[in-house]
């Protein structure tokens, strides 16, 4: 039997011990002694969440294809094991070879949401790695971060040795090659980081100094050594065709959140919703080829035996070969008892037809994401969806046999008025009316329209990156108004309205646009016991209130003020390909309620054309 | 046609619970391309049923499940193909076709053999010799409605302390079911030892059906028709 880091007794004392044993199908076993570089990839949340994320499978596959490199995995130990490890001083270990994390060359941490920041400290702490990069020695791994939250790395910059801006396919090899060359030369930590700082897309926070004005804004952000570039450019494959795909993903034993095959059909988005960070930082849209996707689907099935497959993309309806792909999946996999799940589809005649073929209409509900209640507001955020289309979709859906609809909205959007938020209830009511307008024999009982609203959080590299975020009180007042308006609707019995807690959104807002002064606050909150903040049942707002106060950091500064276009933003040194001029243009158009057409209609000149790929150079074929 | 598959579970796999183990086999069966039969309905599932769930932390030499196929496959091929898909710690040992009308594995389960060892090496098993003097062995079992006290002594068919282990046969199945850790917990308390069920390691070595004459037969041999 392969060794476990935990004893039998320890494994038996925690919930779901299979989280910590590795041994899953397609996990990679190599001889660590024959490797030049040992990398451990971490998703700083519990196993079931981390294992559901395609990005880690891509990196795992990419690194393990290198003969000289061995990539293993680690996730946040759940609270029960966390307590046991502290009590019995067990160091955090990798799943595959059960090796202490501190013994690796690299600890890679993916940053998918801001609320995982205390879990990063948990992972470092349990590994016995100093929390601050400046305190680490030759005995510690290089801690490298990446993923969407890396596009403002500043609140956690002090905890990382380096960040990678860009997609793994185009950066990991260069980083590993550079590191291995340094190792061959016997270079120390500092020299190695200086070499890595010159790899395109790499940011080493220690090589930059930040100074502040008296009002707290940044006065300068400058490299302090010649190896560090003043601007770090995001790296990405201009074309996904022919790039590796993880067709042998690790198959977990325990049920995870996304327990299915994932087929990433495209990356990026043509839509340009003004609140959406992913829509900007993954530009331009790049499609995978139909032929490759067909082959991947069959390989995934043969290698995993899963009974479900899902498509992954920001907006699946924009994939030009979607009908052919779905036909293929139904024919080849549906016939072998594989369920096909189709998220992020726009509701139209085509998608309803497809959903009819792949799901049980009576049991399923349809999801619309109008994001805002009024047409004016939808134009402000450039949602590209008009009321007529929404109602048309709802009518068709009801006629097709569905009677459950879910609607997603945001509250606290820029320029929002009371009429706009009441629009959430009005639109929901109109959708319910579509149902009751149907002849009686076409209905089956009452319909159920469930509207949920989350609170808008302005994100870096979006046209709203300068915007003021609402206060918690204002969010809750708005939610109360919407709720009241729902109660006034004729079909209120068919309508349901849910809203999220505001505390988490405000904290997310602080980190999203925060700067280096926040690392002390994060550390302080962690020391008080904050972890798993993304889990609302474990999120304790008091820890954070105290941490801000004790560090004399004013949280309002980060969220409740409108920034000027002249202000140096903490993430300005990153060139993601979309220009600041474009973001300003879009923000101004938003104020006037003017929409911008999507990339396939007309190029809005966002700047991503510099990558010379995807939709920017696409020809209809 | 139905197959009864026998497999062993040990090492790392002892930490994978029953439901997860089922899912692991379902996927392995698909990868092994066995012609498995599926149920009807909107969410078809493989027609597959396990004999007796094994708790987390237990190893076993003899676990069983029944699997329905749509067309016959040589049993040797079933074993080889499935083993090619098994993770370390799972091994398919045998596959036998069931006779027409044979009862399913789960309904047959009547008793299980376990080998019990202490998790420290200097343990003296002879201290258990005193168990023969017990006239009852009471434990309280929680059901959905209430807590009740039951005597588990009649569920212990065999209890044999040996030099470096204990060999037992315990009642199992829907009528009466005794878990070995439960028994050891009660026994150590009744005999006044300062240890409990969690201080021992458990290995299931066989699952039995009851014969007409009251004797026991391993599930792998109880494949005849009614
Ligand atoms: S450059 Fe034009 S086509 Fe390319 S992503 Fe930007 S807006 Fe779209």
């Amino acid at each position: 039997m392969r060794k476990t880091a935990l004893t039998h007794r320890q494994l038996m004392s925690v919930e779901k011990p299979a989280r910590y044993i590795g041994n899953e199908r397609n996990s990679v076993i190599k001889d660590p002694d024959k490797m030049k570089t040992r990398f451990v990839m971490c998703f700083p949340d519990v196993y079931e969440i981390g294992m559901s994320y395609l990005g880690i499978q891509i990196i795992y596959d990419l690194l393990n294809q290198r003969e000289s490199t061995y990539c293993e995995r680690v996730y946040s130990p759940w609270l029960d094991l966390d307590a046991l490890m502290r009590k019995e001083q067990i160091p955090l270990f990798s799943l595959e070879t059960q090796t202490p994390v501190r013994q690796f060359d690299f600890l890679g941490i993916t940053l998918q949401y801001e609320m995982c920041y205390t879990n990063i400290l948990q992972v470092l702490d349990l590994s016995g790695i100093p929390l601050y990069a400046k305190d680490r020695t030759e005995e510690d791994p290089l801690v490298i971060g990446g993923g969407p939250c890396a596009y403002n790395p500043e609140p956690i910059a002090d905890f990382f040795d380096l960040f990678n801006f860009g997609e793994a396919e185009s950066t990991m090899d260069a980083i590993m090659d550079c590191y291995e060359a340094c190792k061959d030369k016997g270079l120390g930590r500092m020299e190695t980081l200086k070499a890595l700082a010159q790899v395109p897309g790499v940011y080493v926070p220690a090589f930059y100094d930040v100074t502040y004005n008296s009002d707290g804004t940044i006065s300068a952000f400058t490299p302090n050594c010649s190896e560090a570039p003043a601007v770090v450019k995001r790296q990405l494959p201009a074309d996904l065709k022919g790039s590796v795909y993880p067709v042998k993903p690790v198959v977990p034993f325990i049920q995870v959140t996304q327990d299915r095959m994932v087929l990433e059909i495209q990356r990026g988005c043509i839509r340009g919703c003004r609140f959406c960070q992913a829509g900007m930082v993954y530009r331009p849209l790049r499609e995978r080829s139909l032929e490759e996707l067909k082959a991947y689907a069959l390989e995934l099935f043969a290698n995993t035996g899963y009974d479900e497959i899902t498509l992954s993309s920001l907006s699946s309806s924009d994939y030009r070969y979607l009908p052919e792909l779905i036909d293929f999946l139904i024919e080849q996999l549906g016939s072998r008892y594989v369920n096909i799940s189709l998220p992020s589809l726009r509701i139209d005649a085509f998608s309803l037809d497809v959903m009819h073929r792949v799901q049980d209409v009576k049991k399923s509900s349809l999801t619309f994401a109008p994001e805002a209640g009024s047409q004016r507001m939808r134009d402000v955020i450039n949602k590209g969806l008009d009321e007529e289309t929404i109602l048309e979709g709802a009518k068709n859906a009801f006629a097709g046999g569905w009677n459950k609809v879910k609607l997603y909205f945001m509250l606290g959007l820029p320029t929002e008025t009371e009429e706009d938020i009441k629009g959430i209830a009005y639109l929901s009511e109109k959708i319910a009316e579509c149902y009751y307008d149907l002849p009686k024999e076409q209905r089956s009982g009452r319909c159920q329209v469930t509207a949920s609203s989350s609170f808008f959080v302005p994100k870096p590299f979006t046209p709203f990156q300068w915007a003021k975020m609402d206060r918690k009180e204002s969010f809750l007042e708005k939610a109360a108004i919407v709720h009241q308006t729902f109660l006034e609707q004729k079909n209120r019995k068919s309508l349901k309205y849910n809203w999220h807690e505001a505390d988490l959104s405000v904290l997310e807002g602080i980190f999203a646009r925060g700067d280096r002064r926040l690392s002390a606050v994060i550390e302080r909150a962690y020391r008080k016991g904050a972890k798993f903040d993304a889990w609302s049942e474990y999120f304790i707002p008091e820890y954070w209130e105290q941490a801000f106060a004790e560090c004399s950091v004013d949280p309002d500064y980060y969220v409740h003020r409108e920034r000027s276009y002249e202000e140096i933003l903490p993430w300005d040194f990153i060139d993601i390909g979309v220009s600041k001029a474009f973001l300003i243009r879009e923000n101004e158009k938003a104020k006037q309620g003017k929409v911008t057409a999507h990339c396939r209609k007309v190029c809005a000149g966002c700047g991503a054309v510099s990558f010379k790929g995807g939709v920017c150079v696409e020809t209809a074929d | 046609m139905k197959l009864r598959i026998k497999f062993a579970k040990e090492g790392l796999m002892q930490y994978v619970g029953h439901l997860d183990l089922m899912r692991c086999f379902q996927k392995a069966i698909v990868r092994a391309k066995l012609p498995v039969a599926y149920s009807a309905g909107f969410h078809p599932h493989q027609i597959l049923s396990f004999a007796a769930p094994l708790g987390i932390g237990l190893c076993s030499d003899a676990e069983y499940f029944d699997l329905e196929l749509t067309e016959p496959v040589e049993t040797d091929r079933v074993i080889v193909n499935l083993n090619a898909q098994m993770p370390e710690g799972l091994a398919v040992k045998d596959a036998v076709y069931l006779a027409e009308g044979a009862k399913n594995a789960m309904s047959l389960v009547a008793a299980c053999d376990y080998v019990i060892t202490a998790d420290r090496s200097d343990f003296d098993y002879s201290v258990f010799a005193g168990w023969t003097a017990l006239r009852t062995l009471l434990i309280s079992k929680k059901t959905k409605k209430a807590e009740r006290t039951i005597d588990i002594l009649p569920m212990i068919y065999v209890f044999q302390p040996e030099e470096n282990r204990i060999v037992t046969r315990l009642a199992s199945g829907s009528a009466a079911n005794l878990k070995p850790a439960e028994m050891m917990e009660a026994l150590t308390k009744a005999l006044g030892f300062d240890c409990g069920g969690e201080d021992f390691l458990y290995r299931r070595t066989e699952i039995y059906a009851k014969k007409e004459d009251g004797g026991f037969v391993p599930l792998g041999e109880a494949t005849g028709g009614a």
Side-chain angles (χ1 to χ4, degrees):
Chain A
M1 165 176 159
R2 233 180 278 159
K3 270 236 178 295
T4 50
L6 301 172
T7 64
H8 179 72
R9 222 174 246 272
Q10 288 163 343
L11 281 164
M12 291 303 289
S13 70
V14 297
E15 190 191 312
K16 301 193 197 174
R19 284 168 173 159
Y20 311 111
I21 59 170
N23 198 37
E24 307 98 322
R25 183 80 193 169
N26 300 332
S27 58
V28 176
I29 292 301
K30 292 185 174 187
D31 180 355
D33 294 338
K34 299 208 174 93
M35 297 296 136
K36 229 178 202 173
T37 313
R38 293 187 69 184
F39 193 108
V40 58
M41 188 64 214
C42 171
F43 190 112
D45 205 323
V46 74
Y47 180 90
E48 293 91 310
I49 304 285
M51 275 296 284
S52 304
Y53 167 61
L54 177 72
I56 289 208
Q57 305 266 16
I58 292 179
I59 294 172
Y60 188 75
D61 185 53
L62 215 73
L63 287 176
N64 279 322
Q65 286 197 12
R66 293 173 60 88
E67 241 169 66
S68 54
T69 313
Y70 185 12
C71 179
E72 305 185 37
R73 292 161 298 138
V74 68
Y75 301 94
S76 279
W78 188 240
L79 295 163
D80 53 358
L81 181 59
D82 177 288
L84 187 72
M85 293 176 91
R86 287 171 204 271
K87 195 171 132 229
E88 305 194 6
Q89 299 193 343
I90 308 160
L92 186 62
F93 52 89
S94 66
L95 294 185
E96 281 78 358
T97 60
Q98 305 270 310
T99 306
V101 166
R102 192 159 183 244
Q103 290 178 19
F104 282 78
D105 296 280
F106 279 97
L107 166 60
I109 301 181
T110 182
L111 306 164
Q112 296 296 314
Y113 33 85
E114 290 83 1
M115 300 317 293
C116 75
Y117 289 173
T118 48
N119 276 46
I120 297 171
L121 300 189
Q122 178 215 23
V123 166
L124 293 171
D125 200 10
L126 291 177
S127 302
I129 299 170
L131 302 189
Y132 286 94
K134 65 175 169 40
D135 300 329
R136 293 181 196 140
T137 67
E138 302 291 334
E139 305 306 308
D140 294 300
L142 293 172
V143 180
I144 176 171
C149 292
Y151 292 119
N152 177 19
E154 291 306 279
I156 47 173
D158 290 348
F159 307 132
F160 283 82
D161 295 292
L162 65 159
F163 288 93
N164 163 31
F165 299 143
E167 297 168 19
E169 290 91 342
S170 56
T171 53
M172 287 319 271
D173 268 330
I175 293 172
M176 289 300 117
D177 287 345
C178 173
Y179 176 77
E180 287 170 8
C182 293
K183 211 171 175 178
D184 285 344
K185 280 187 232 153
L187 297 187
R189 197 176 179 87
M190 207 31 79
E191 262 47 54
T192 303
L193 283 171
K194 283 192 171 162
L196 285 166
Q198 297 168 65
V199 175
V202 169
Y203 165 55
V204 179
F207 296 159
Y208 297 78
D209 290 329
V210 192
T211 52
Y212 300 91
N213 298 312
S214 54
D215 64 357
T217 56
I218 294 173
S219 66
F221 188 104
T222 35
N224 59 26
C225 71
S226 58
E227 288 83 357
V231 171
V232 186
K233 187 161 170 113
R234 175 172 73 110
Q235 305 294 308
L236 70 163
D239 198 338
L240 291 178
K241 292 176 189 117
S243 71
V244 295
Y245 195 85
V247 290
K248 284 182 89 179
V250 178
V251 183
F253 289 116
I254 61 173
Q255 187 124 35
V256 300
T257 317
Q258 280 266 3
D259 213 5
R260 48 187 75 100
M261 298 175 266
V262 181
L263 202 55
E264 187 197 38
I265 55 176
Q266 57 189 1
R267 206 174 284 172
C269 185
I270 57 172
R271 296 276 149 186
C273 298
R274 292 180 180 131
F275 57 85
C276 177
Q277 188 186 36
M280 296 294 158
V281 302
Y282 293 115
R283 283 189 171 215
L285 172 90
R286 287 149 293 153
E287 294 178 321
R288 293 188 188 268
S289 80
L290 178 62
E291 287 320 307
E292 280 178 333
L293 288 176
K294 286 180 178 175
Y296 296 158
L298 296 180
E299 283 180 71
L300 280 169
F301 180 64
N303 292 332
T304 63
Y306 268 121
D307 60 3
E308 187 168 348
I309 189 165
T310 185
L311 303 184
S312 156
S313 83
L314 292 166
S315 167
S316 301
S317 299
D318 294 328
Y319 181 62
R320 288 177 298 167
Y321 315 102
L322 191 65
E324 293 94 322
L325 179 63
I326 292 175
D327 283 343
F328 177 85
L329 295 178
I330 292 176
E331 225 167 83
Q332 294 292 320
L333 295 181
S335 61
R336 292 192 246 175
Y337 306 99
V338 175
N339 289 316
I340 295 158
S341 99
L342 303 166
S344 77
L345 279 188
R346 267 197 314 282
I347 306 300
D348 55 20
F350 165 74
S351 60
L352 289 173
D353 172 61
V354 168
M355 281 186 258
H356 251 287
R357 292 163 67 196
V358 302
Q359 47 177 244
D360 189 350
V361 171
K362 279 200 192 63
K363 291 210 184 96
S364 60
S365 59
L366 278 186
T367 303
F368 292 79
E371 311 289 0
S374 70
Q375 193 55 47
R376 190 197 77 82
M377 198 75 255
R378 279 193 297 276
D379 290 345
V380 168
I381 63 176
N382 203 37
K383 183 63 203 176
L385 189 61
D386 57 32
E387 184 166 301
E388 209 176 307
T389 312
I390 299 172
L391 296 180
E392 187 62 31
K395 254 181 232 158
N396 288 332
F398 292 140
W402 276 274
N403 61 2
K404 286 199 260 325
V405 171
K406 282 192 200 148
L407 302 169
Y408 289 106
F409 296 98
M410 278 184 287
L411 282 180
L413 289 162
T415 77
E416 186 177 77
T417 64
E418 190 164 321
E419 237 2 71
D420 293 320
I421 62 169
K422 286 182 171 171
I424 293 175
Y426 302 152
L427 181 64
S428 305
E429 167 69 16
K430 282 184 197 157
I431 289 174
E433 280 166 15
C434 291
Y435 181 75
Y436 295 106
D437 285 347
L438 281 182
K440 204 157 192 173
E441 53 294 354
Q442 282 190 43
R443 290 184 245 157
S444 58
R446 184 175 290 211
C447 74
Q448 199 187 87
V449 179
T450 309
S452 311
S453 69
S454 58
F455 297 119
F456 168 64
V457 178
K459 293 278 164 107
F461 294 113
T462 65
F464 294 153
Q465 65 176 357
W466 295 277
K468 181 172 164 179
M469 185 175 161
D470 262 354
R471 285 176 189 277
K472 176 183 166 182
E473 299 72 30
S474 150
F475 276 135
L476 297 175
E477 272 163 36
K478 286 180 177 175
I481 294 172
V482 179
H483 185 59
Q484 182 55 37
T485 316
F486 266 95
L487 297 178
E488 290 159 10
Q489 302 307 306
K490 189 169 103 235
N491 290 301
R492 59 188 168 274
K493 290 208 171 115
S494 302
L495 307 178
K496 211 176 147 196
Y497 174 60
N498 303 317
W499 63 95
H500 290 235
E501 282 300 317
D503 284 319
L504 270 169
S505 305
V506 173
L507 194 58
E508 186 187 328
I510 294 168
F511 293 146
R513 294 185 296 168
D515 55 33
R516 285 191 186 186
R517 290 168 291 191
L518 288 176
S519 54
V521 180
I522 297 170
E523 189 209 344
R524 190 63 73 105
Y526 169 72
R527 299 277 184 215
K528 288 177 184 294
K531 47 185 171 265
F532 290 100
D533 293 306
W535 297 66
S536 51
E537 63 270 47
Y538 300 109
F539 173 66
I540 302 177
E542 291 75 41
Y543 288 157
W544 290 98
E545 284 158 23
Q546 292 162 9
F548 277 105
E550 289 166 23
C551 297
S552 309
V553 171
D554 175 16
D556 287 3
Y557 166 82
Y558 295 100
V559 274
H560 304 311
R561 70 186 175 93
E562 172 110 28
R563 289 152 168 83
S564 77
Y565 290 145
E566 289 72 45
E567 182 175 332
I568 299 176
L569 303 173
W571 53 92
D572 272 351
F573 73 96
I574 308 171
D575 173 7
I576 60 153
V578 170
S579 70
K580 198 166 193 174
F582 169 76
L583 296 177
I584 293 174
R585 238 167 30 235
E586 282 295 294
N587 192 32
E588 290 304 315
K589 281 175 90 176
K591 288 178 189 162
Q592 297 158 22
K594 285 199 186 132
V595 299
T596 298
H598 65 67
C599 297
R600 282 211 178 101
K601 273 200 191 133
V602 48
C603 168
C606 76
V609 69
S610 68
F611 296 116
K612 301 190 182 68
V615 67
C616 315
V617 299
E618 178 174 280
T619 46
D621 48 15
Chain B
M1 60 230 60
K2 278 201 168 180
L3 266 178
R4 179 154 304 155
I5 310 267
K6 176 181 176 182
F7 66 96
K9 183 188 184 202
E10 53 199 336
L12 293 171
M13 291 308 291
Q14 67 186 289
Y15 304 108
V16 174
H18 177 63
L19 290 177
D20 296 329
L21 183 76
M22 275 173 58
R23 294 168 348 100
C24 169
F25 266 105
Q26 284 160 356
K27 294 190 188 91
I29 288 164
V30 170
R31 294 194 304 264
K33 301 194 175 77
L34 295 183
V36 56
Y38 281 79
S39 66
F42 218 100
H43 293 291
H45 52 264
Q46 295 177 2
I47 302 179
L48 169 112
S49 75
F50 277 70
L54 186 69
I56 288 186
L58 275 74
C59 296
S60 176
D61 299 327
E63 294 297 294
Y64 296 91
F65 64 86
D66 293 347
L67 176 69
E68 186 159 334
L69 298 183
T70 56
E71 55 187 83
V73 183
E74 263 178 67
T75 51
D76 285 352
R77 248 188 66 207
V78 172
I79 298 171
V80 169
N81 289 3
L82 269 181
N83 274 331
Q85 302 300 332
M86 286 296 112
E88 183 185 313
L90 283 185
V92 173
K93 299 284 186 200
D94 205 359
V96 202
Y97 278 100
L98 302 186
E100 198 59 43
K103 285 195 180 154
N104 77 40
M106 196 198 300
S107 67
L108 285 171
V109 176
C112 295
D113 281 353
Y114 297 94
V115 168
I116 303 172
T117 46
D119 76 346
R120 58 188 172 91
S121 53
D122 59 344
F123 191 83
D124 178 10
Y125 292 87
S126 67
V127 295
F128 281 106
W131 88 283
T132 47
L134 296 174
R135 288 297 156 257
T136 56
L137 186 54
L138 300 179
I139 64 164
S140 62
K141 269 209 170 185
K142 273 194 203 118
T143 61
K144 275 187 203 106
K145 282 175 212 138
E147 206 172 303
R148 61 196 177 96
T149 304
I150 53 167
D151 182 10
I152 58 169
L153 208 56
M155 299 186 204
I156 306 176
Y157 301 149
V158 174
F159 185 90
Q160 217 174 287
E162 296 180 355
E163 197 187 318
N164 47 18
R165 60 180 197 170
I166 299 164
V167 175
T168 62
R169 181 168 299 174
L170 307 180
S172 195
S174 50
N177 195 53
L178 181 59
K179 290 181 186 149
E182 228 169 25
M183 173 192 68
M184 290 305 281
E185 180 70 26
L187 206 54
T188 50
K189 293 285 159 307
L191 296 173
F193 302 156
D194 64 343
C195 57
E198 75 279 6
D199 296 306
F200 296 88
L201 303 173
Y202 305 91
R203 170 180 284 269
R204 181 141 79 187
T205 53
E206 191 51 271
I207 304 178
Y208 298 97
K210 204 164 204 150
K211 286 195 292 193
E212 301 262 301
D213 63 6
F216 292 106
V217 55
L219 281 193
E221 293 161 31
T223 55

